[in-house]
Amino acid sequence: MEELNRLSLLEAADGLGKGLFSARELTRACLARIDELDGKIKAFLNLTPDVALGQADLADHRLVAWRQRGGDRPPLVCGIPTAVKDVLCTQGVVTTAGSMILEGFRPPYTATSVQHLLDAGMVMLGKTNTDEFTMGSSTEHSAYGPTHNPWDLQRVPGGSSGGSAAAVAARFCPLALGTDTGGSVRQPASFCGVTGLKPTYGRVSRYGLIAYGSSLDVVGALARSAADLLPVFQVMAGHDSLDSTTSHRPVPQITLNGSELAGIRIGVPKEYFIEGLQGDVAAAIHNATDVFLSLGADVKRISLPHTDLAVPVYYILAPSEASANLARYDGMRYGPRHPSQDLWSTYARTRGSLFGAEVKRRIMLGTYALSAGYYEAYYGQAQKVRTLIKGDFEQAFQKVDLIACPVAPTTAFPIGAHRDDPVSMYLEDVFSLPANLAGIPGLAFPVGFDGKGLPIGLQLKAPQFGEALLFRAAHAYQSVTEWHKEMPRL
Amino acid sequence: MSLSLAEVRHIARLARLHLTEAEERDYQQQLSSVLEHAARLQTVDTEHIAPTATVVPMDAPLRADEVRDCPPPADILANAARVERGMFRVPPVMEPGP
């Protein structure tokens, strides 16, 4: 079938619903596209075509049964080929977190977020590349090599959900799952010209998500539009007794009606328009706010005064949590073991040789920040400044309903650009970190291209549990613009 | 905020990470650089600010003390480097570390 892989999630769901093609045909089209191009892009770490085709057949049975007997239509994600970031555990399917220390690891269970989608009929094509334990903003820190941006193969796709973003951009599949701890769904969405959702903290279960920063990690998704992501969100979200940090708040049934935003107040934070912001990125953001105005929204300048503290706060808190979360990787119960003369050496050499440099850097940073004598000055102080950052948003959301801003200061940078200076990489996250620190949801979508033809993303941020408004505003924008329909030439 | 090599070695010991000499020097420089940036936090007045214990309101839920099914032991042992008689085989635990 011609290029079924190019269909968006909703287009594919429409075709499947009408019986124009089968989930098996759709899956085979995606696998063929991957076969043709992933040698250059390297989005996938592990392809599971047999699993996928089996799931596609089950989806086909469900859809056929519905067409013959009526009743409720299976969920829109039924039969949709999907890429899953390799930090989400998938029972029996190798899950590495992009690390050597989990090489060959087959989880004995599946992450709840993934299971919900599988139960709804999602077809899992395979596992996508990520910075090791999601620590990075470019997917260059994967132990298995970088993923290449489909818009320019010499450039990064962003990170850490770079494999997932690249897979959607390259039309390998209409949907990919990612995770966002400091921007890891939104920034690769921006760099790859796709739409990415970071839900509110606690909105989606983290059970089965290989943990990096437990107070920051969120499971999210990437697709070609906000409307595509809505049915995914509806299935993934909700309380889970296996994750005590999930919220009991009911998941709203969200409908998207048209493109009007009258009465919606959108704030643009002045602190995000800094010297390091690439000129054409700033221009694209301003053009996008003009579109919001034309849709009837009220756009105003706001202040988030503690914005410049987000990077130091995050790079104390996240590594601290990581140092605790990664203590379990000791070669004893899973993963390879570096044999040595005694227990201590086995720990130290297993971890020393199988963790990558960025991971070790963050473990060391976190260990230091939590150590006796330094805990209050570093971790304790960072937790208090976090309260100030969170407070900026609480105050802003008394005056506006949404915040609109750039996702990253630049468009996709060349592979290797930050190699010599890890701190310069950390500064790429300045606009995306605050949402994780405040626990609020964010949705990133393309709003233009720079002078080199690289995608530019804008992100909308909403108050906690305010996803409905995010979807509504992004969908309104995408109803009157075409950026999200552009495809890289491959 | 500059870390000494002795401090770097102390942190590596706490973190159970074996580092080469070259790594020790690299991390000394890189960690010092990050901590210098983080020093900014010390200038913020937080005297009356509470730390963010939970970013979203939550409590510690309880459940009934009921026995539930466990995964089969074979599944749990399947990923281990060394297994013996249904147990994880590890180096002796009783010897002192450095």
Side-chain angles (χ1 to χ4, degrees):
Chain A
M1 278 244 156
E2 347 68 57
E3 303 190 337
L4 291 176
N5 59 286
R6 294 196 181 202
L7 296 174
S8 71
L9 187 150
L10 289 179
E11 288 167 346
D14 186 60
L16 288 169
K18 292 175 175 149
L20 302 179
F21 46 82
S22 65
R24 174 170 269 263
E25 285 168 319
L26 176 57
T27 300
R28 289 188 60 197
C30 292
L31 289 168
R33 174 83 167 172
I34 292 165
D35 196 52
E36 186 199 337
L37 291 170
D38 203 34
K40 293 199 284 192
I41 291 173
K42 302 187 198 299
F44 282 91
L45 289 177
N46 181 18
L47 272 174
T48 53
D50 295 331
V51 168
L53 290 168
Q55 290 165 346
D57 289 340
L58 287 175
D60 281 329
H61 287 313
R62 258 173 104 164
L63 289 160
V64 167
W66 167 66
R67 275 198 299 277
Q68 288 173 346
R69 291 184 237 135
D72 289 330
R73 192 216 187 276
L76 290 172
V77 300
C78 185
I80 299 296
T82 303
V84 176
K85 185 177 183 182
D86 207 24
V87 291
L88 288 160
C89 285
T90 42
Q91 186 175 15
V93 172
V94 170
T95 301
T96 64
S99 180
M100 288 284 138
I101 213 162
L102 281 176
E103 192 184 17
F105 172 66
R106 288 181 192 272
Y109 66 101
T110 295
T112 297
S113 55
V114 177
Q115 192 61 54
H116 282 330
L117 287 164
L118 289 170
D119 291 344
M122 174 261 270
V123 171
M124 186 175 83
L125 292 170
K127 310 303 288 297
T128 50
N129 202 9
T130 166
D131 285 294
E132 191 178 354
F133 289 102
T134 78
M135 297 183 204
S137 310
S138 65
T139 313
E140 293 174 285
H141 293 304
S142 167
Y144 300 95
T147 295
H148 298 255
N149 192 316
W151 294 89
D152 178 338
L153 297 172
Q154 309 307 316
R155 292 178 183 262
V156 303
S160 58
S161 307
S164 287
V168 173
R171 296 343 190 221
F172 290 165
C173 46
L175 172 65
L177 300 186
T179 68
D180 191 310
T181 303
S184 288
V185 161
R186 293 163 286 146
Q187 186 252 39
S190 176
F191 280 14
C192 288
V194 299
T195 301
L197 171 70
K198 173 213 171 292
T200 304
Y201 181 87
R203 182 79 285 186
V204 177
S205 174
R206 288 181 299 113
Y207 180 77
L209 166 57
I210 293 175
Y212 156 30
S214 307
S215 77
L216 301 155
D217 290 343
V218 179
V219 177
L222 301 100
R224 306 232 301 272
S225 71
D228 283 346
L229 288 171
L230 181 53
V232 183
F233 172 74
Q234 305 271 206
V235 168
M236 279 206 307
H239 179 256
D240 181 19
S241 58
L242 294 169
D243 173 1
S244 61
T245 64
T246 52
S247 171
H248 284 276
R249 277 174 76 130
V251 182
Q253 283 306 301
I254 301 167
T255 45
L256 298 174
N257 303 318
S259 62
E260 193 224 83
L261 293 178
I264 300 300
R265 303 162 301 166
I266 299 181
V268 181
K270 62 181 168 90
E271 290 84 2
Y272 284 45
F273 290 84
I274 53 173
E275 207 175 286
L277 178 61
Q278 190 174 314
D280 33 24
V281 173
I285 301 301
H286 287 308
N287 291 341
T289 56
D290 285 344
V291 173
F292 287 125
L293 280 168
S294 75
L295 292 170
D298 182 19
V299 177
K300 51 174 92 169
R301 264 163 76 86
I302 58 163
S303 176
L304 296 171
H306 297 94
T307 296
D308 66 335
L309 293 170
V311 171
V313 167
Y314 178 88
Y315 281 101
I316 293 293
L317 291 182
S320 295
E321 296 183 5
S323 70
N325 280 323
L326 270 64
R328 69 193 68 181
Y329 302 106
D330 57 9
M332 298 298 139
R333 290 155 297 164
Y334 32 71
R337 181 187 301 183
H338 194 298
S340 206
Q341 62 263 39
D342 56 42
L343 181 67
W344 184 283
S345 307
T346 306
Y347 288 154
R349 287 193 181 262
T350 296
R351 292 161 62 82
S353 66
L354 295 175
F355 278 141
E358 183 62 36
V359 167
K360 286 192 283 195
R361 190 157 34 240
R362 296 197 196 191
I363 290 173
M364 303 261 289
L365 203 39
T367 303
Y368 180 74
L370 291 173
S371 64
Y374 294 107
Y375 178 99
E376 240 346 284
Y378 285 108
Y379 184 79
Q381 179 69 352
Q383 280 288 55
K384 291 178 182 176
V385 181
R386 182 177 187 176
T387 303
L388 293 173
I389 292 170
K390 191 162 176 283
D392 280 359
F393 287 99
E394 283 155 7
Q395 293 192 37
F397 285 129
Q398 284 169 15
K399 304 191 194 87
V400 296
D401 305 301
L402 289 172
I403 291 170
C405 57
V407 182
T410 67
T411 51
F413 45 87
I415 292 171
H418 293 289
R419 182 177 296 134
D420 296 327
D421 182 8
V423 178
S424 66
M425 182 85 85
Y426 298 165
L427 294 171
E428 286 278 340
D429 298 333
V430 58
F431 303 143
S432 51
L433 299 174
N436 302 84
L437 294 171
I440 60 175
L443 205 157
F445 50 92
V447 293
F449 290 87
D450 76 357
K452 298 188 171 73
L454 299 169
I456 297 169
L458 174 147
Q459 63 176 323
L460 291 174
K461 305 191 201 196
Q464 291 181 354
F465 303 103
E467 284 87 352
L469 193 48
L470 285 181
F471 280 112
R472 200 176 132 206
H475 175 67
Y477 179 90
Q478 290 178 329
S479 303
V480 298
T481 55
E482 308 271 293
W483 303 114
H484 60 293
K485 298 183 184 170
E486 296 292 325
M487 208 185 101
R489 224 169 331 191
L490 283 162
Chain B
M1 173 65 239
S2 207
L3 292 177
S4 68
L5 272 180
E7 282 173 307
V8 172
R9 289 182 188 130
H10 173 62
I11 298 167
R13 232 180 346 261
L14 289 176
R16 308 296 191 262
L17 287 173
H18 173 262
L19 301 180
T20 64
E21 275 176 32
E23 282 176 319
E24 284 176 352
R25 285 192 299 275
D26 283 342
Y27 288 130
Q28 179 189 23
Q29 183 254 308
Q30 290 159 1
L31 293 179
S32 300
S33 173
V34 179
L35 290 169
E36 249 163 64
H37 275 264
R40 181 103 180 57
L41 297 178
Q42 304 310 317
T43 68
V44 182
D45 179 12
T46 54
E47 202 184 310
H48 301 293
I49 307 293
T52 298
T54 58
V55 70
V56 162
M58 66 178 78
D59 49 32
L62 301 177
R63 68 172 176 89
D65 185 10
E66 289 162 352
V67 173
R68 297 180 179 176
D69 280 341
C70 284
D75 287 3
I76 304 303
L77 294 167
N79 286 295
R82 284 192 65 184
V83 170
E84 207 174 285
R85 290 177 286 144
M87 293 177 279
F88 294 106
R89 176 80 201 204
V90 303
V93 181
M94 298 311 200
E95 287 159 13

